[in-house]
Amino acid sequence: MINEFAHEQRPSRWRLAVRRAIAGSAVVLLSATGVVALSGTAHAASTLGAAAAEQGRYFGTAVAANRLSESDYTATLNREFNSATAENEMKWDALQPNRGQFNFGNADRIVNHARGQGMSLRGHTLVWHSQLPGWVGGLGTNELRTAMNDHISQVMGRYRGQIDSWDVVNEAFEDGSSGARRNSPFQQRLGNGYIEEAFRAARAADPSATLCYNDYNTDGVNAKSNAVYNMVADFKQRGVPIDCVGFQSHFNSQSPVPGDYQQNLQRFAALGVDVQITELDIEGSGTAQANSYRTVVNACLAISRCTGITVWGVTDKYSWRASGTPLLFDGNYNKKPAYDAVLAALGGTPGGGDPGGPGDGSCTVTYQETDRWGDRFNGQVTVRAGDASISGWTVTVTVGSAQRISTTWNGTPSWDSSGNVMTMRPNGNGNLSPGQSTSFGFTVMAGGDWSAPRIGACVAS
Ligand code: G2I
């Protein structure tokens, strides 16, 4: 209960970071979670992520682990997006193919990549009837309940504090006019209460994560979205921990952006949950596709509780429906008209005209504690270039008087006379292209003080 209350009272980790980034102040700010994001933005944003951040939102994409080795894919991902969702790697069949046997390798690859780039993460998905390994469907009621709760606690526990939002339950309602729950193994064995149970288990597993219900064909007001709406209203009224509703937003000519899209998302937000656009893709091309994307972005921007947008892939060529060319980059990673429309709707301006150069760029920093032992912890600072390339950066790290930095890596440190203020400069990693990031790290001997170091604003050169 205390956790639910605390959650209600404060914005998500992402929101905090965004607000602080926008503040752009040189004053050192430290969030409750120990994540710091500071910037001195001087340019109109020229990437989706940077433009969305200036609107207090994230702009993310689904990521496939096996594409991260393709340099064009990764360059586009890193440059344009500031949030990532594993397209398949966090589904039940990928993570726990046999009971009690967890395979976190591919999920870890995505988490590590995203965090290394300073991106936030959406977790997709814990309880879903699809991509469910055979052993789950064969369990009886009690066993299934145990397995569901175990899966939630193991998976969310592994990534506790690292994943901003989780799709706790996915696609639990039938299509069409019935408004009924989908007849999944969970529904059959555990009954209507399984959704509530999953959300309660999720809150216990990571009290700071934003917990979402996620579905498709719920984008406009219809029987299915009404059923979800009634469930969310009931959960809020009874104190069942739900923080967010995800609207997948897979559109094509048979299923275009509904005329009441904004109104529908708004009525959910009015229940006291965040709304997120979680799997956006719109089949088509040219101006028509661009117009539909613009409508979606404008709807989100018009709703203060619409906290971000995720598109369901980086490039058309790897889309789950590639023939419909539904994404923002074509198969050669060229920006499509839909990209230009989204960037403009977010208030950004196309880049390319600004070659950057010394003193022209800006950078931001984020801090994370990456390890902790009995007497010490490791910290990592990620430095990310803004909209122009930079050729150098300077960041100060101030530790408490009882603390001492014993080791550093990937940077060139210098110290003030007290020994508590370290000024870090590059060690061969000073040249960053727009949106690119690098990290340096250090070990802090805690001396009994486990508070996070204060990270100064990034100064670019
Ligand atoms: O179907 C579109 C999305 C609808 N909402 C939930 C999402 O999780 C879902 O994503 C898609 C992925 O984009 C596909 O990539 O989910 C599909 C499965 O339900 C994914 O397709 C699977 C194929 O079915 C597998 O054969 C394949 O091995 O992708 C796997 C990895 O490429």
Side-chain angles (χ1 to χ4, degrees):
M1 289 303 119
I2 288 169
N3 286 332
E4 281 168 43
F5 180 75
H7 202 277
E8 288 293 327
Q9 298 306 304
R10 60 162 209 271
S12 69
R13 281 190 288 272
W14 171 253
R15 271 281 155 108
L16 286 167
V18 165
R19 280 186 193 152
R20 284 160 186 175
I22 290 164
S25 156
V27 176
V28 171
L29 295 167
L30 180 62
S31 82
T33 54
V35 177
V36 176
L38 296 175
S39 75
T41 306
H43 301 266
S46 64
T47 65
L48 301 172
E54 290 188 355
Q55 304 288 345
R57 272 91 174 165
Y58 63 82
F59 202 96
T61 179
V63 174
N66 63 356
R67 306 297 180 196
L68 289 172
S69 53
E70 186 183 311
S71 59
D72 285 348
Y73 180 93
T74 305
T76 308
L77 167 67
N78 295 353
R79 187 187 72 234
E80 295 289 342
F81 299 96
N82 57 10
S83 170
T85 306
E87 186 170 356
N88 288 295
E89 294 79 350
M90 290 192 190
K91 293 171 179 176
W92 196 317
D93 63 350
L95 289 183
Q96 196 184 176
N98 298 298
R99 190 163 189 183
Q101 182 221 320
F102 286 86
N103 291 344
F104 286 113
N106 282 332
D108 282 356
R109 285 177 65 200
I110 292 176
V111 170
N112 292 337
H113 183 92
R115 282 165 59 79
Q117 292 293 318
M119 297 179 190
S120 64
L121 279 146
R122 298 195 78 261
H124 176 79
T125 175
L126 294 163
V127 179
W128 187 28
H129 66 278
S130 181
Q131 288 174 282
L132 196 58
W135 65 268
V136 179
L139 298 176
T141 298
N142 292 339
E143 291 279 278
L144 181 60
R145 171 168 288 120
T146 304
M148 181 181 83
N149 289 329
D150 278 356
H151 186 75
I152 291 170
S153 70
Q154 293 287 324
V155 174
M156 287 186 77
R158 181 177 186 86
Y159 299 115
R160 184 165 27 228
Q162 302 184 0
I163 294 194
D164 195 65
S165 301
W166 268 105
D167 291 333
V168 178
V169 177
N170 196 44
E171 303 177 4
F173 285 82
E174 296 280 12
D175 288 316
S177 59
S178 71
R181 307 283 171 110
R182 186 189 289 275
N183 193 20
S184 68
F186 303 105
Q187 182 70 30
Q188 285 171 10
R189 313 264 149 71
L190 309 181
N192 280 347
Y194 87 88
I195 302 181
E196 169 173 353
E197 203 170 326
F199 275 90
R200 291 191 189 279
R203 180 67 97 229
D206 184 353
S208 66
T210 295
L211 306 183
C212 304
Y213 175 80
N214 188 51
D215 215 328
Y216 67 94
N217 284 353
T218 49
D219 308 300
V221 176
N222 58 37
K224 188 175 179 182
S225 66
N226 286 346
V228 176
Y229 180 88
N230 290 337
M231 177 186 76
V232 175
D234 172 57
F235 280 12
K236 293 302 287 183
Q237 205 218 326
R238 292 191 296 113
V240 179
I242 186 168
D243 309 307
C244 144
V245 176
F247 297 85
Q248 293 185 10
S249 306
H250 294 291
F251 299 122
N252 59 21
S253 54
Q254 281 78 51
S255 174
V257 184
D260 55 7
Y261 186 63
Q262 182 180 322
Q263 178 200 335
N264 185 47
L265 270 58
Q266 181 68 64
R267 73 173 174 149
F268 279 88
L271 290 174
V273 289
D274 288 345
V275 295
Q276 299 179 359
I277 296 169
T278 52
E279 304 180 15
L280 177 63
D281 57 7
I282 307 176
E283 292 187 344
S285 62
T287 308
Q289 184 179 46
N291 288 343
S292 296
Y293 265 102
R294 182 184 302 108
T295 301
V296 170
V297 172
N298 284 338
C300 182
L301 293 178
I303 300 168
S304 62
R305 290 200 76 145
C306 182
T307 55
I309 298 173
T310 297
V311 290
W312 205 237
V314 176
T315 162
D316 281 341
K317 71 174 166 174
Y318 298 141
S319 164
W320 68 293
R321 44 183 188 173
S323 62
T325 61
L327 295 170
L328 301 176
F329 293 89
D330 71 15
N332 295 316
Y333 298 96
N334 295 313
K335 296 169 181 175
K336 295 165 60 180
Y339 171 96
D340 298 334
V342 168
L343 183 65
L346 291 169
T349 52
D354 181 353
D360 199 27
S362 64
C363 53
T364 56
V365 285
T366 54
Y367 168 77
Q368 255 134 14
E369 183 180 318
T370 52
D371 264 309
R372 186 179 281 204
W373 297 270
D375 57 346
R376 64 195 191 281
F377 61 90
N378 281 353
Q380 175 177 284
V381 172
T382 300
V383 176
R384 189 181 182 100
D387 303 321
S389 58
I390 63 174
S391 55
W393 45 263
T394 305
V395 179
T396 59
V397 177
T398 305
V399 297
S401 53
Q403 297 176 327
R404 186 173 56 82
I405 295 180
S406 60
T407 323
T408 70
W409 51 96
N410 285 343
T412 306
S414 58
W415 305 87
D416 79 336
S417 56
S418 74
N420 293 110
V421 182
M422 173 177 76
T423 300
M424 190 64 104
R425 294 189 172 82
N427 179 14
N429 52 350
N431 281 314
L432 299 177
S433 53
Q436 194 189 3
S437 63
T438 186
S439 295
F440 66 83
F442 48 86
T443 299
V444 178
M445 303 307 297
D449 178 356
W450 295 96
S451 52
R454 285 178 293 135
I455 313 296
C458 191
V459 178
S461 50

